[in-house]
Structures are given as structure tokens and as C-alpha cells.
Amino acid sequence: MAGETRAGFVALIGEPNAGKSTLLNRMVGAKVSIVTHKVQTTRARIRGVAMEGATQIVFVDTPGLFRPRRRLDRAMVAAAWGGAADADIIVLLIEAHRGLTEGAKAIIESMRDRIPRGQAVALAINKIDRVKAETLLALTEEMNNAFPFVETFMISAEKGYGVDKLKQWLAGELPAGPWFYPEDQIADVPMRNIAAEITREKLTLRLHEELPYQLTVETEKWEDRPDGSTRIDQIVYVARDGHKGIVLGNKGETIKAIGQQARIDMTEFLERPVHLFLQVKVRPNWLEEPERYSEMGLDFKDGN
């Protein structure tokens, strides 16, 4: 079997909001990574598993690379570079309409120092539907002058343009060997973590003006019932009393609406009825608690 199959790890890196999570979800064919219009929403190294012929592609969806300010930021950036260094192939995603930004230049500079010599790095120019062909050609030349990419792909992760071509190339480049996961497995993150990510996505979408990053979600209990349904109890942790009122909303309307939206996504993802119960608790120092980092798949020490 090993001689017939291929398997390996692919790290998707780039600035926040470059489209990494959207691309991951498109490649895997299911929603395994949180997608919002608010920058820097991916915290943990969620892996999505995609099949392409006899090749198993394991995607490492890294947090967006940016200039860290807080402990959480530093832990996220450390996780991103750790995921990239361990991968067989790295794909740098940039946005076509933004081009070679200062942030992208900083990532390229860091790649020279942090990535092992000889590691394959491909370029994916995303959101190509937003610019003209001549702009794309000029950007391709500029990017390849800045770094020796092994291949360049023009894609739209949202609309699917060029994604199959990228996926097929990745499948052909990964090493021969047995698969890491069962064929029907799409993520190696526990389902309770994915459920927490779904709820956090709904919170971020609803409250992005008031509470961009001051909350986290933990799945406290998970019960698969004899009738085929699942009961999920989650806690939304906020940093201040005032934040709790914002999350709850008038007469609890906000948290109720968020819970309904999250439950719909969970039901679709798990392919079974879901009973979701949300609590909101104040934890002033959750950003400084090692266990919160472990829950998100991050190393607390990396935040130093």
C-alpha cells in the first residue's frame, strides 16, 4: 500500500485575512476552519485532511503572520512558524488587490531565516477576480523576484478558481508513503474544539465592533445521546463584566441568536441533531492562563 500512496503536510501561511481558512475549507470540502471578515481569527493550528487521488494532503492552517503585541499574539505567531517549518510544502498566500505589502515583505524576510534550506515554497495569489490580468502578471514577476518560489498559482479561494490545479500539484509533490489518517477523516482536531470554533466564529461575526478578540469559547461537555443527537455545553469567557452584557444582549437575545446560528452549523457538520447550551462567564485574566492556550492548541511559553 505504501508504494501506491502519498501523504504529507502542507502549511498555508500569509497575512491575516489573506484567505487561508477559506482555501483550507475549499480544499477539504468542509468547514474545518473559522472564517470571518475580522482579521486574525485563526488561533490554533487546525489541520484539514484532503484526498486527491491516492494522495492524502494534511493542511496546517496557521494563524496569520503579523507583528505580535500581546502574549496571545506571540504564541499565535510562534505556532504559525512552527507549523511552516514542520511541513513538507509551504504555500504563501497573498491578496491580488493588495500586492506585495509591507506585511508580505516581512514574511518573506522571515522565511529566509526560519524555513529550512531546500524546503519547497509555492506562491498562491488569491482573490484574482478583483484585479486585471496585467496587474496579476506584474505582481507575479515582482513576487518571484522577491523570493524563489517553486511554483505560482492564481486562485480565488472563495469562488474556487484555480484551487483544483493547486491541489493536484500539491498531491504530486508530496512524498510516497502511507496515509496518516483514515480516508473519511477531515480534521485531526477533536470535534469539541471544532464546535468551539464554530461558536467563536458566530460571536466574532456578530460582535466584531465591540469585542474583536476579548473572548474565547470552550466546550465544557459533550454527550452523544442514544437517540442519535448530541448535547454540547459551552462556556464563552470574556475579560470584563461589561463584555458579558454585550455578549448576552437585551434579554439574552444576542447570545440566543448566536447559539441558533452555531447550532445550525454544528448540525450540518456533525450530520446529526445538536442541542447547544451556552453560558457566558467573566474571567479577567483568561489571556494569561496556560490552560486556555492548551485548549486552543497553542503553547503558553511561546507567548513570552
Side-chain angles (χ1 to χ4, degrees):
M1 188 72 176
E4 302 170 315
T5 59
R6 291 174 177 270
F9 292 86
V10 174
L12 305 174
I13 68 170
E15 290 185 89
N17 255 26
K20 299 180 298 299
S21 296
T22 304
L23 179 59
L24 173 70
N25 292 338
R26 170 79 59 179
M27 294 266 205
V28 174
K31 192 171 194 174
V32 295
S33 192
I34 184 171
V35 179
T36 74
H37 59 281
K38 193 78 189 177
V39 298
Q40 205 35 59
T41 48
T42 303
R43 287 178 182 163
R45 276 177 280 176
I46 292 181
R47 295 185 176 97
V49 184
M51 297 302 302
E52 178 65 29
T55 303
Q56 187 174 77
I57 309 169
V58 185
F59 288 100
V60 185
D61 179 41
T62 58
L65 292 167
F66 57 102
R67 201 175 300 282
R69 290 190 296 273
R70 305 167 301 171
R71 175 187 282 274
L72 178 62
D73 296 340
R74 292 191 291 274
M76 288 160 71
V77 168
W81 283 119
D86 293 341
D88 295 290
I89 301 172
I90 296 168
V91 179
L92 171 63
L93 228 66
I94 68 160
E95 296 175 281
H97 59 291
R98 294 183 64 209
L100 183 53
T101 61
E102 289 304 313
K105 287 177 184 174
I107 291 171
I108 288 171
E109 280 303 309
S110 293
M111 284 198 301
R112 300 184 204 283
D113 300 328
R114 293 173 178 262
I115 290 174
R117 190 177 296 278
Q119 190 171 20
V121 183
L123 172 67
I125 301 176
N126 191 24
K127 305 179 184 178
I128 57 170
D129 48 312
R130 299 194 186 187
V131 299
K132 293 178 180 176
E134 54 266 30
T135 305
L136 272 177
L137 289 171
L139 178 57
T140 300
E141 188 176 355
E142 184 182 18
M143 290 298 298
N144 280 274
N145 285 335
F147 191 86
F149 296 102
V150 293
E151 287 286 341
T152 299
F153 296 89
M154 315 278 189
I155 67 167
S156 169
E158 187 178 9
K159 298 183 177 173
Y161 306 146
V163 174
D164 286 345
K165 189 176 177 184
L166 171 58
K167 189 176 177 184
Q168 288 161 10
W169 178 81
L170 290 170
E173 293 295 311
L174 290 174
W179 296 338
F180 296 108
Y181 301 103
E183 189 174 358
D184 60 352
Q185 186 167 337
I186 62 168
D188 79 343
V189 175
M191 286 300 176
R192 58 195 297 132
N193 287 30
I194 291 177
E197 281 292 279
I198 288 172
T199 301
R200 190 164 68 87
E201 175 187 53
K202 302 308 175 192
L203 285 158
T204 306
L205 284 168
R206 182 73 178 249
L207 305 171
H208 65 277
E209 296 298 334
E210 299 97 326
L211 298 173
Y213 318 117
Q214 296 298 317
L215 53 81
T216 192
V217 180
E218 284 185 19
T219 301
E220 188 183 37
K221 292 179 186 172
W222 181 293
E223 181 191 356
D224 291 326
R225 294 176 162 181
D227 64 1
S229 68
T230 296
R231 174 182 171 132
I232 300 172
D233 291 79
Q234 294 181 330
I235 300 173
V236 179
Y237 286 116
V238 294
R240 298 178 193 158
D241 284 320
H243 295 171
K244 184 176 181 179
I246 293 170
V247 174
L248 290 172
N250 185 33
K251 297 180 180 176
E253 287 176 0
T254 301
I255 194 69
K256 184 179 179 183
I258 287 165
Q260 287 172 342
Q261 292 164 358
R263 183 179 56 78
I264 290 168
D265 271 21
M266 290 177 200
T267 297
E268 184 181 342
F269 187 84
L270 295 170
E271 298 180 335
R272 71 183 84 143
V274 170
H275 310 282
L276 177 63
F277 298 88
L278 299 177
Q279 278 184 284
V280 185
K281 293 186 178 180
V282 179
R283 278 191 100 103
N285 298 313
W286 76 261
L287 280 163
E288 297 299 323
E289 293 176 3
E291 56 269 31
R292 302 283 90 75
Y293 286 70
S294 298
E295 188 75 20
M296 291 186 280
L298 300 171
D299 191 332
F300 183 75
K301 294 191 291 293
D302 285 341
N304 289 323

